[in-house]
Amino acid sequence: MKPRHFVTFLDLSGAEVRSLISRATELKHSKAIYEPLKNKVLGMIFEKSSTRTRVSFETGMIQFGGGAIFLSPRDTQLGRGEPVDDSARVLSRMVDAIMLRTISHRTVEIFAEHSRVPVINGLSDRFHPCQVLADMQTYFENRGDIAGKTVAWIGDGNNMCQTYIHAAQQLGFTLNIACPEGYEPELELIEEAATFVNLSRDPFAAAEGADLVVTDVWASMGQEEEQALRAKAFANYQVDSKLMAAAAPNALFMHCLPAHRGEEVSAEVMEGPQSVVWDEAENRLHAQKALLEFLLNPQT
Ligand code: CP
Ligand code: NVA
């Protein structure tokens, strides 16, 4: 039987996401020792840096009684040109699940196509579904179901923004995206989610009445040399107190982190009462534990 994967947010139905969120919250509050993945191993391939993703997956596996192996292309044969599909076939005969953070989304897809075990996208150039799962958990815990609510995405139409487009479709919220010209998400993704997504250039119009305001760095990993150019293009897209004032009075602020205070977000908003960024980071652990439990389906 083909394993279930989590390559994009669309790999889970809305009902499955809701059930994972409630399981994640349950796991978060449980003090009991629970080791459903005893002797199970998660292989983790990182082509890019990470703090949260690595630590949350590794901690989650240890707490579940299993373990995780950190693999970087620098010291595996992947970095010396061993084909991705061969690597997927070999690794998936040894480990019980594989998490990848890749430069190209296609690498995660190829892994999933050839793996015998569940493959999880830990960020690619196109999507970051684990982060948005944790974001949704954070929203549900603070405000209840997100269906029918309005989310404002301010800034780059990047991997996070594109995953929010998927989440809007699956969970039924409106996503107002404000981004500068030339930094839009892929058109096809917007078209597929057309009833849920609005695209504009005006951050204030996007934020108006929003229940959740979200942003991310102006230059993602791998775009470091574009930093100066992007800082110019995004100059009017900072989430500051003025912009938050346009949102609903009880709006939340989220950022996947790492954040650059004074660029995409002001220090005041980051540290302000509407910011839930630290809960959001913590929830990576709980949401991914629920995800691992679901994908690996241990018979306990
Ligand atoms: N938000 C997130 O994925 O953080 P890391 O890059 O530290 O894993
Ligand atoms: N958009 C960012 C997210 C980091 C977690 C990046 O890809 O670098």
Side-chain angles (χ1 to χ4, degrees):
M1 205 173 73
K2 279 241 162 222
R4 290 283 300 263
H5 302 299
F6 191 47
V7 171
T8 79
F9 206 85
L10 297 181
D11 288 332
L12 294 177
S13 69
E16 285 170 338
V17 171
R18 288 185 170 90
S19 126
L20 282 192
I21 288 174
S22 73
R23 181 63 181 144
T25 301
E26 194 174 75
L27 288 167
K28 180 177 181 172
H29 297 298
S30 168
K31 298 273 174 286
I33 290 180
Y34 172 59
E35 299 187 326
L37 300 185
K38 209 165 172 52
N39 298 321
K40 301 278 185 203
V41 175
L42 174 72
M44 306 189 299
I45 297 170
F46 282 94
E47 293 181 352
K48 291 174 175 176
S49 308
S50 167
T51 298
R52 280 145 288 269
T53 303
R54 177 177 179 180
V55 175
S56 55
F57 270 110
E58 205 162 323
T59 302
M61 284 303 295
I62 293 168
Q63 289 180 351
F64 268 173
I69 302 175
F70 174 85
L71 299 159
S72 111
R74 219 177 347 186
D75 34 46
T76 59
Q77 300 289 5
L78 261 173
R80 294 182 60 252
E82 182 167 12
V84 174
D85 53 331
D86 289 2
S87 305
R89 281 183 273 218
V90 171
L91 285 175
S92 72
R93 282 170 180 245
M94 297 174 184
V95 302
D96 301 282
I98 298 167
M99 194 284 304
L100 297 99
R101 168 164 287 193
T102 60
I103 295 164
S104 162
H105 184 69
R106 189 68 200 122
T107 306
V108 189
E109 289 177 338
I110 296 172
F111 244 88
E113 281 158 22
H114 296 276
S115 172
R116 287 182 170 187
V117 300
V119 167
I120 300 170
N121 180 358
L123 181 146
S124 67
D125 57 340
R126 295 182 65 207
F127 300 109
H128 195 2
C130 291
Q131 181 66 55
V132 177
L133 195 58
D135 287 20
M136 293 300 104
Q137 182 191 344
T138 311
Y139 189 88
F140 278 55
E141 285 178 347
N142 281 280
R143 298 283 185 265
D145 203 300
I146 201 162
K149 305 282 183 185
T150 300
V151 177
W153 175 272
I154 310 296
D156 194 14
N158 64 11
N159 44 8
M160 278 296 296
C161 175
Q162 299 199 146
T163 310
Y164 263 88
I165 295 176
H166 281 167
Q169 272 168 275
Q170 293 305 76
L171 298 174
F173 60 83
T174 299
L175 180 66
N176 293 337
I177 300 169
C179 64
E181 208 178 329
Y183 296 97
E184 298 86 0
E186 293 164 30
L187 190 61
E188 202 174 301
L189 295 177
I190 299 180
E191 281 170 358
E192 280 163 14
T195 44
F196 299 101
V197 177
N198 304 304
L199 183 67
S200 85
R201 304 275 168 240
D202 181 357
F204 283 88
E208 200 183 329
D211 301 290
L212 168 64
V213 178
V214 196
T215 191
D216 188 12
V217 289
W218 290 340
S220 284
M221 288 182 273
Q223 298 171 334
E224 288 77 7
E225 71 291 350
E226 295 174 33
Q227 174 63 36
L229 184 78
R230 285 171 167 265
K232 241 193 222 159
F234 287 95
N236 297 324
Y237 289 80
Q238 183 183 92
V239 178
D240 57 12
S241 304
K242 245 175 78 190
L243 190 64
M244 285 305 291
N250 71 342
L252 297 175
F253 170 75
M254 291 191 200
H255 189 310
C256 64
L257 309 179
H260 297 111
R261 292 170 177 78
E263 291 182 27
E264 75 275 5
V265 59
S266 69
E268 203 184 356
V269 168
M270 264 295 281
E271 307 295 345
Q274 291 169 286
S275 169
V276 288
V277 298
W278 314 118
D279 291 340
E280 184 188 354
E282 179 190 331
N283 281 340
R284 291 293 302 277
L285 171 64
H286 311 299
Q288 288 159 196
K289 281 173 76 177
L291 176 71
L292 287 164
E293 186 186 47
F294 170 80
L295 293 175
L296 287 164
N297 191 22
Q299 307 300 314
T300 51

